[in-house]
Amino acid sequence: MANSTEAQKPQNPKKNKKKGATLDTFYGAKIQNTEEIEDNTQENAPKPSKGNGNSPQTHEEFESEMTKKMEAFWEEKWEIMQKKFTHLQNRCDQTEKENQALKARIRQLEDNDRVKEQELIKQSQNTKKLEENIKYLTDKVTDLENRGRRDNLRIIGLPEKPEINTKLDMVIQDIIKENCPEILEQGGNTATDRAHRTPSTLNPQKTTPRNVIAKFQSYQTKEKILQEARKRQFRYKGMPIRVTQDLASSTLNDRKAW
């Protein structure tokens, strides 16, 4: 009875259809779904236009409109890019002109420096020649000054007293009598043209006496006195003094440095 009852029950067609769908393979179901989507797309696609403005566009019209919009868009972009490129090109041209001007300026400065360098070399050579000439003239003047002093003797250490300063000629004769009387005995000319202190102005801060310069009339007599002064210490009334050749100040400085 149970089996006959089950056989008499009507079958549900929806359940059978669902059951049949589950038996399909995965790929078969996927293909079936794809076909359903294509059918829906065709049903929802725009219908051909009949010339009415309110009618939907065809696929070709839509593509044409989009193409025109894209062309307009890219034309606008192209014009902007061309303007920017033209601006950059102008800037490059301007920069190139400035570079050329700077290069010309640099070449001009280099030429000026070269000319100045040559002028400096010439000036240096001229300066060197002038220095040589100055040295030659200085040596010449010093030699002439020393030659002009060849008849002079310098007496160092003679006391700074009024009675001595007013009678320097007589004091020199006394020095000769005290230290080298043989010159007088031989009849030598011990006369002097002049005698003076140097420097001419007394410095109160200087404790040492000023030197005495005596110019003899006879060069031979002066040389004899100088030779005797080199042999022994001269004195004036028992006080030690020194007698040397009178020389130019530059020569004396050179001898001191030497």
Side-chain angles (χ1 to χ4, degrees):
M1 291 295 290
N3 292 331
S4 60
T5 304
E6 291 176 359
Q8 292 176 0
K9 288 182 179 180
Q11 295 180 356
N12 191 352
K14 294 182 179 180
K15 291 182 179 181
N16 292 335
K17 187 176 182 181
K18 184 177 181 181
K19 186 177 182 181
T22 58
L23 295 176
D24 292 336
T25 61
F26 171 75
Y27 294 102
K30 188 175 182 180
I31 292 169
Q32 183 179 0
N33 294 332
T34 305
E35 290 176 353
E36 291 177 358
I37 292 170
E38 289 179 354
D39 293 339
N40 294 330
T41 303
Q42 291 178 359
E43 290 176 359
N44 296 326
K47 299 297 187 292
S49 176
K50 296 181 180 180
N52 188 0
N54 297 325
S55 62
Q57 293 179 342
T58 63
H59 184 69
E60 291 79 2
E61 291 176 350
F62 177 76
E63 288 183 351
S64 176
E65 184 178 355
M66 292 301 297
T67 302
K68 290 180 180 179
K69 289 182 179 180
M70 294 297 292
E71 289 177 353
F73 174 78
W74 287 115
E75 285 180 359
E76 183 180 357
K77 293 293 183 182
W78 178 252
E79 290 178 358
I80 294 173
M81 292 177 65
Q82 281 185 336
K83 290 180 180 179
K84 290 183 177 180
F85 179 77
T86 303
H87 178 69
L88 291 174
Q89 187 66 31
N90 294 333
R91 290 289 301 274
C92 290
D93 295 340
Q94 184 179 0
T95 304
E96 183 65 22
K97 291 180 181 179
E98 291 177 355
N99 288 336
Q100 294 296 332
L102 290 174
K103 288 180 180 179
R105 182 62 177 169
I106 289 171
R107 284 194 296 268
Q108 184 180 2
L109 291 173
E110 289 177 350
D111 294 338
N112 293 337
D113 290 340
R114 195 176 297 108
V115 171
K116 289 181 179 179
E117 185 176 358
Q118 293 176 355
E119 291 179 355
L120 287 175
I121 292 173
K122 292 180 180 179
Q123 290 180 359
S124 178
Q125 293 175 352
N126 293 334
T127 302
K128 186 177 180 180
K129 290 181 180 179
L130 289 174
E131 289 177 352
E132 292 176 353
N133 292 334
I134 290 172
K135 186 178 182 305
Y136 170 77
L137 293 174
T138 302
D139 294 341
K140 191 71 174 176
V141 169
T142 301
D143 180 68
L144 291 173
E145 186 176 358
N146 289 329
R147 289 179 182 274
R149 295 169 180 260
R150 63 195 303 267
D151 296 334
N152 298 350
L153 284 179
R154 182 181 291 265
I155 304 172
I156 304 171
L158 197 63
E160 192 84 37
K161 294 181 180 181
E163 58 272 18
I164 295 177
N165 294 338
T166 55
K167 301 176 181 179
L168 287 175
D169 294 336
M170 297 177 62
V171 170
I172 291 171
Q173 296 298 323
D174 294 340
I175 292 172
I176 295 172
K177 291 178 183 179
E178 184 177 353
N179 295 277
C180 45
E182 62 275 9
I183 296 176
L184 297 175
E185 294 175 359
Q186 295 173 1
N189 184 10
T190 60
T192 57
D193 285 337
R194 61 182 177 273
H196 63 277
R197 293 274 186 178
T198 181
S200 58
T201 304
L202 178 63
N203 187 1
Q205 297 179 355
K206 193 172 181 180
T207 58
T208 57
R210 292 175 293 171
N211 298 339
V212 175
I213 305 298
K215 180 177 177 57
F216 288 83
Q217 294 180 356
S218 172
Y219 173 75
Q220 292 78 11
T221 303
K222 188 269 303 180
E223 283 294 320
K224 290 179 181 179
I225 297 172
L226 185 60
Q227 290 176 3
E228 294 296 329
R230 289 171 180 171
K231 294 177 183 179
R232 60 183 182 273
Q233 176 73 56
F234 273 30
R235 294 180 177 276
Y236 174 69
K237 295 182 179 181
M239 293 181 296
I241 59 174
R242 189 158 61 94
V243 178
T244 62
Q245 174 66 46
D246 181 33
L247 297 172
S249 59
S250 58
T251 304
L252 291 174
N253 293 331
D254 291 341
R255 288 192 177 187
K256 287 179 181 179
W258 183 79

